[in-house]
Amino acid sequence: MLLFEHVPELDLHGTDRDYARFLTKEFINDNYKLRKERLLIIHGKGTGIIKQTVHEVLAKDKRVLKYQLDLFNTGCTIVYLKRTS
Protein backbone atom coordinates (compact mmCIF):
# COMPACT_ATOMS: atom_id res chain seq x y z
CA MET A 1 0.00 0.00 0.00
CA LEU A 2 1.36 3.40 -0.95
CA LEU A 3 0.86 6.08 1.67
CA PHE A 4 0.60 8.93 -0.84
CA GLU A 5 -1.05 7.13 -3.74
CA HIS A 6 -3.88 9.63 -4.35
CA VAL A 7 -2.36 12.73 -2.78
CA PRO A 8 -1.69 15.78 -4.97
CA GLU A 9 1.99 16.55 -5.23
CA LEU A 10 4.10 19.49 -6.29
CA ASP A 11 7.67 18.89 -7.44
CA LEU A 12 9.87 21.97 -7.03
CA HIS A 13 13.13 20.51 -8.35
CA GLY A 14 14.90 23.03 -10.56
CA THR A 15 13.00 26.09 -9.31
CA ASP A 16 14.44 29.16 -7.64
CA ARG A 17 13.21 30.64 -4.34
CA ASP A 18 10.74 33.14 -5.84
CA TYR A 19 9.19 30.66 -8.27
CA ALA A 20 8.96 28.02 -5.52
CA ARG A 21 7.11 30.54 -3.32
CA PHE A 22 4.67 31.34 -6.15
CA LEU A 23 4.07 27.68 -7.04
CA THR A 24 3.53 26.69 -3.41
CA LYS A 25 0.91 29.41 -2.90
CA GLU A 26 -0.90 28.43 -6.10
CA PHE A 27 -0.76 24.74 -5.18
CA ILE A 28 -2.36 25.46 -1.80
CA ASN A 29 -5.02 27.71 -3.38
CA ASP A 30 -5.98 25.13 -5.99
CA ASN A 31 -6.12 22.20 -3.61
CA TYR A 32 -7.98 24.11 -0.91
CA LYS A 33 -10.67 24.92 -3.50
CA LEU A 34 -10.75 21.23 -4.47
CA ARG A 35 -11.22 20.35 -0.76
CA LYS A 36 -8.06 18.28 -0.56
CA GLU A 37 -6.86 17.75 2.98
CA ARG A 38 -3.39 16.29 2.46
CA LEU A 39 -0.71 17.40 0.00
CA LEU A 40 2.87 16.48 -0.76
CA ILE A 41 5.48 19.07 -1.69
CA ILE A 42 8.76 17.73 -3.05
CA HIS A 43 11.48 20.31 -2.49
CA GLY A 44 14.54 18.07 -2.47
CA LYS A 45 17.37 18.04 0.05
CA GLY A 46 20.10 20.19 -1.51
CA THR A 47 21.11 23.30 0.41
CA GLY A 48 17.71 23.66 2.06
CA ILE A 49 16.79 27.00 0.49
CA ILE A 50 13.67 25.71 -1.27
CA LYS A 51 12.58 23.74 1.81
CA GLN A 52 12.99 26.85 3.95
CA THR A 53 10.98 28.92 1.45
CA VAL A 54 8.19 26.33 1.32
CA HIS A 55 8.03 26.13 5.12
CA GLU A 56 7.86 29.95 5.37
CA VAL A 57 4.87 29.98 3.01
CA LEU A 58 3.16 27.16 4.89
CA ALA A 59 3.72 28.81 8.29
CA LYS A 60 2.03 32.03 7.14
CA ASP A 61 -0.98 30.41 5.43
CA LYS A 62 -4.00 30.20 7.74
CA ARG A 63 -5.48 27.33 5.71
CA VAL A 64 -2.57 25.07 6.65
CA LEU A 65 -3.41 23.01 9.71
CA LYS A 66 0.09 21.55 10.03
CA TYR A 67 3.05 20.39 8.00
CA GLN A 68 5.96 18.06 8.59
CA LEU A 69 8.89 16.50 6.81
CA ASP A 70 8.28 13.00 5.50
CA LEU A 71 10.01 10.69 7.96
CA PHE A 72 11.32 8.44 5.19
CA ASN A 73 12.32 11.19 2.75
CA THR A 74 13.38 14.55 4.17
CA GLY A 75 13.22 16.01 0.66
CA CYS A 76 9.42 16.04 0.95
CA THR A 77 6.99 17.93 3.17
CA ILE A 78 3.53 16.62 3.99
CA VAL A 79 0.92 19.37 4.29
CA TYR A 80 -2.44 19.08 6.05
CA LEU A 81 -5.05 21.66 5.10
CA LYS A 82 -7.98 22.72 7.24
CA ARG A 83 -11.33 21.39 6.15
CA THR A 84 -13.42 23.74 4.04
CA SER A 85 -16.95 24.60 5.10
Side-chain angles (χ1 to χ4, degrees):
M1 180 178 103
L2 294 174
L3 185 60
F4 300 108
E5 190 172 345
H6 297 290
V7 176
E9 63 181 47
L10 173 64
D11 189 342
L12 296 174
H13 282 104
T15 62
D16 64 14
R17 182 182 300 169
D18 293 330
Y19 194 45
R21 182 178 292 112
F22 170 78
L23 289 175
T24 300
K25 289 178 181 179
E26 289 298 309
F27 186 62
I28 293 170
N29 287 339
D30 293 345
N31 284 286
Y32 187 78
K33 290 176 187 174
L34 292 171
R35 299 175 186 249
K36 301 292 183 180
E37 294 180 13
R38 188 168 58 176
L39 313 173
L40 185 65
I41 300 178
I42 304 165
H43 42 69
K45 296 178 183 178
T47 61
I49 293 172
I50 301 300
K51 177 182 82 171
Q52 178 184 1
T53 301
V54 167
H55 287 192
E56 288 171 1
V57 171
L58 297 175
K60 292 178 183 176
D61 196 312
K62 296 185 188 312
R63 298 167 296 180
V64 174
L65 185 63
K66 68 177 183 172
Y67 61 93
Q68 64 191 40
L69 286 177
D70 184 344
L71 294 175
F72 301 105
N73 182 357
T74 58
C76 300
T77 296
I78 305 163
V79 181
Y80 298 91
L81 298 179
K82 294 179 180 175
R83 293 179 184 238
T84 58
S85 304

